[in-house]
Amino acid sequence: MMVNNRPTPLPHLAGFSQRDGQWYAENIPLASLAKDYGTPLYIYSKRAITEAYQAYDRACVDKNGQRRARIHFAMKANSNLAILDCLKRFGAGFDLVSGGELARALAIGAEPASLVFAGVGKSAAEITAALKAGVKCINVESIPELQQINRIATALQCRAPISLRVNPDVDAQTHPYISTGLKDNKFGIAYHEVLKTYREAALLPQIDVIGIDCHIGSQITTTAPYLDAVDKVLDLVVQLKKEGVVIRHLDLGGGLGISYGTETPPDITEFTNTLLNHVAERGFAHLDVILEPGRSLVGNAGVLLTRVEYLKPGAEKNFCIVDTAMTELMRPALYEAYHAIVPIQEKELTPQTYDVVGPVCESGDWLGRDRSLAIEEGDYLAILSAGAYGFVMSSNYNTRARPAEIMVDGDKAYVVRDREHVNDLFAGERTLP
Ligand SMILES: *Cc1c(COP(=O)(O)O)cnc(C)c1O
């Protein structure tokens, strides 16, 4: 049997820490949260979200106190209302990818002018809702979509503010499922067709061209692909100006990566400064810049707490079977993503190597492989870096009720979403008469 004595690589965490052999969310031991609220349980740290937001915001204001960029949180990363409300109070806007997300943003009282609406397949109903709400901008990904928006705006007798999402054809050097800026991705308008598409947009009577947009992928851990994308997008802005199309804002998307344990992404403030300085050096300081971070604001602000149900020794592998599954955290099954997994209380036991797996009937249902853990049945584990693309990707497969979500602020814990009840999962179903 393969034995792994390597220590678990840990991310740097602002809101979670280990003291005297115990893990804490800010000032609250995770053990007491497990006892009070049960598992599986998502736990978010307000402090961690605050620090990540401030790291961006510091770079968004120049030396003279002039704002040169705005943060629109990509809420698909984590759309819990408490998180949205927290970011709204800091001054963030939002990046939406569905009518459902628009409803969430409106539910927390976000200013419509702080919303940008992205997505490759917006339905007529979604476009109608966005125009009625008065969003700042719709980011358009094809000519048929542009024509659809024009038709709907005509019917509503309003004008539609749009930008085109450019596919800059740069390699973000990330996982193929989360790379979006390459020629063969479904996203955006092919680079060589952008000028033509802007010309068409300019001819549509109800369309107001206001910006240009790109988003090259997710979990990107170097700055270089962003600088390439900025250069290619600014080249277009220059050409558009010659043709009389005035671009007012430059939306550079999101995608900055976080450390899940082994990566070393750039510091948020330095990264943002580099990007914004580059835009200014090329002579575009007058453009309003929009950044749409998702993962880097919330990814390391959340953990998923789980209980060890059974330790199952095997000839090839030992299994640690926990009460959390791919239904609560899909990233390992979907991308073979690594999440650090730690016992929330240190024990004087000899560590064993385990595959940490859930109870769902799929071989893809694993959370961590070959992990060295000193644990017994009934112990609790924290799956780290679970604040982004965690709860939002959860499902009810195997008729599993989704977990509660808690936000910790100092020494207070708030339930920000109730645990689902099994009966609610089939309450809308009917048998035949
Ligand atoms: C997903 C997405 C983002 C955020 O990506 P992160 O990797 O979470 O920062 C931003 N903009 C658009 C258009 C997206 O689809």
Side-chain angles (χ1 to χ4, degrees):
M1 186 185 307
M2 189 180 132
V3 178
N4 163 20
N5 292 317
R6 277 169 293 137
T8 302
L10 294 180
H12 169 77
L13 300 170
F16 302 90
S17 59
Q18 198 183 21
R19 283 172 253 158
D20 306 323
Q22 274 227 62
W23 276 86
Y24 285 74
E26 303 195 11
N27 304 332
I28 306 182
L30 294 186
S32 75
L33 294 173
K35 186 167 136 282
D36 292 349
Y37 302 103
T39 53
L41 184 69
Y42 270 100
I43 301 163
Y44 308 122
S45 155
K46 186 176 172 204
R47 184 197 300 157
I49 299 167
T50 309
E51 288 188 12
Y53 183 81
Q54 287 170 345
Y56 272 107
D57 204 48
R58 263 196 299 282
C60 290
V61 178
D62 71 13
K63 287 186 229 58
N64 310 317
Q66 202 71 15
R67 178 159 292 279
R68 52 181 188 161
R70 284 189 192 279
I71 301 302
H72 288 242
F73 174 53
M75 65 191 267
K76 74 175 190 286
N78 189 327
S79 55
N80 184 285
L81 297 189
I83 290 193
L84 303 184
D85 179 62
C86 197
L87 287 161
K88 185 195 79 176
R89 292 191 206 195
F90 297 152
F94 299 97
D95 164 60
L96 327 168
V97 292
S98 73
E101 291 191 348
L102 173 63
R104 281 179 181 272
L106 298 175
I108 57 142
E111 284 293 329
S114 74
L115 307 177
V116 295
F117 188 15
V120 69
K122 302 172 199 81
S123 70
E126 290 175 319
I127 293 166
T128 304
L131 289 176
K132 279 189 173 163
V135 300
K136 177 188 173 74
C137 190
I138 300 181
N139 295 343
V140 176
E141 304 212 11
S142 66
I143 290 179
E145 184 192 348
L146 204 48
Q147 291 163 340
Q148 169 89 309
I149 294 171
N150 186 59
R151 273 196 301 275
I152 295 171
T154 306
L156 294 175
Q157 296 185 301
C158 70
R159 301 188 66 80
I162 66 107
S163 74
L164 295 187
R165 175 167 175 181
V166 175
N167 183 334
D169 192 26
V170 298
D171 186 356
Q173 312 237 321
T174 183
H175 189 285
Y177 280 16
I178 49 179
S179 185
T180 58
L182 277 170
K183 269 207 280 290
D184 55 357
N185 289 129
K186 70 174 175 180
F187 296 102
I189 292 168
Y191 194 76
H192 66 276
E193 288 178 356
V194 172
L195 291 175
K196 180 181 113 205
T197 312
Y198 268 109
R199 278 179 214 125
E200 286 211 24
L203 295 176
L204 294 170
Q206 302 306 116
I207 297 285
D208 277 339
V209 170
I210 62 167
I212 193 162
D213 164 47
C214 71
H215 170 72
I216 57 174
S218 199
Q219 187 53 16
I220 301 167
T221 52
T222 57
T223 310
Y226 282 97
L227 297 177
D228 292 347
V230 168
D231 279 333
K232 294 188 82 170
V233 171
L234 290 179
D235 290 346
L236 290 172
V237 176
V238 172
Q239 296 183 54
L240 285 168
K241 190 171 175 208
K242 284 187 198 139
E243 300 196 15
V245 179
V246 180
I247 296 296
R248 285 186 302 209
H249 79 240
L250 174 65
D251 181 339
L252 298 176
L256 180 63
I258 61 169
S259 168
Y260 285 91
T262 52
E263 307 86 339
T264 47
D267 170 78
I268 290 176
T269 309
E270 275 173 36
F271 163 82
T272 310
N273 268 323
T274 304
L275 274 195
L276 298 179
N277 291 344
H278 189 73
V279 171
E281 279 155 19
R282 282 211 43 186
F284 291 92
H286 59 284
L287 292 181
D288 293 325
V289 178
I290 291 175
L291 300 173
E292 302 172 344
R295 187 191 313 268
S296 51
L297 283 174
V298 293
N300 270 327
V303 304
L304 174 56
L305 206 56
T306 183
R307 184 176 183 276
V308 177
E309 300 283 12
Y310 303 106
L311 295 177
K312 179 177 170 184
E316 293 294 320
K317 278 187 173 277
N318 296 320
F319 292 99
C320 166
I321 303 169
V322 296
D323 67 357
T324 287
M326 63 188 287
T327 42
E328 286 73 43
L329 182 66
M330 193 156 76
R331 297 188 68 259
L334 189 60
Y335 316 119
E336 304 204 331
Y338 169 88
H339 284 265
I341 302 177
V342 296
I344 65 169
Q345 264 163 331
E346 233 168 53
K347 284 199 167 164
E348 293 289 316
L349 296 168
T350 312
Q352 304 274 339
T353 305
Y354 298 98
D355 274 12
V356 181
V357 300
V360 163
C361 307
E362 296 283 341
S363 295
D365 181 31
W366 58 275
L367 298 159
R369 287 184 169 141
D370 296 322
R371 302 303 175 86
S372 173
L373 295 166
I375 46 169
E376 297 173 290
E377 289 177 5
D379 286 352
Y380 292 98
L381 302 174
I383 305 171
L384 306 184
S385 316
Y389 306 106
F391 187 92
V392 285
M393 284 189 172
S394 64
S395 79
N396 295 120
Y397 185 40
N398 284 204
T399 308
R400 290 171 59 82
R402 286 180 295 173
E405 294 174 282
I406 303 284
M407 191 178 300
V408 170
D409 181 11
D411 40 28
K412 291 208 175 66
Y414 301 90
V415 178
V416 296
R417 190 182 208 271
D418 293 329
R419 186 176 298 284
E420 284 180 344
H421 292 289
V422 164
N423 286 353
D424 296 338
L425 302 187
F426 48 84
E429 299 178 23
R430 305 278 180 278
T431 54
L432 297 191

